[in-house]
Amino acid sequence: LPYHVSRTPTNNLPIYTDIKAGNTLRQTRIRKIAGDAQALRMELIKGLKLDPEREKCEINGVTGHIIIKGWHKPRVEKFLIEKGF
């Protein structure tokens, strides 16, 4: 694979949920990505069948994190485990 997602020191996947904008914006954030984050983003969109209108999936240019609109932590964990992370 052209990317790698490292685990945390407690051996968990680095997937986090955030609440912003006064409890109106819910996000799922994937951290610790090495390699081609764009390839991971495209595979997430296809694998999770995200709707580009409602569930945006973006890469933060400064931190390199992938941010998905909505709470998708269990789905993302399952996807990454199936990929071998």
Side-chain angles (χ1 to χ4, degrees):
L1 297 172
Y3 55 84
H4 180 76
V5 179
S6 300
R7 289 191 172 249
T8 64
T10 56
N11 203 28
N12 294 320
L13 288 168
I15 305 166
Y16 304 94
T17 53
D18 297 330
I19 299 175
K20 295 184 176 188
N23 284 342
T24 60
L25 178 62
R26 297 168 187 230
Q27 297 177 333
T28 303
R29 180 180 304 265
I30 305 168
R31 297 178 50 209
K32 299 184 127 203
I33 302 167
D36 190 1
Q38 185 67 25
L40 175 57
R41 177 184 167 270
M42 296 308 291
E43 287 190 23
L44 281 168
I45 290 171
K46 290 178 186 173
L48 301 179
K49 298 181 177 105
L50 297 176
D51 179 17
E53 297 276 328
R54 297 182 313 150
E55 301 163 324
K56 291 185 180 178
C57 184
E58 302 172 338
I59 299 173
N60 184 319
V62 176
T63 62
H65 300 166
I66 293 179
I67 302 168
I68 307 170
K69 186 176 178 184
W71 280 350
H72 302 283
K73 184 173 180 175
R75 294 171 59 197
V76 173
E77 280 181 345
K78 182 180 176 188
F79 175 82
L80 290 177
I81 288 171
E82 288 173 357
K83 290 287 184 182
F85 299 109

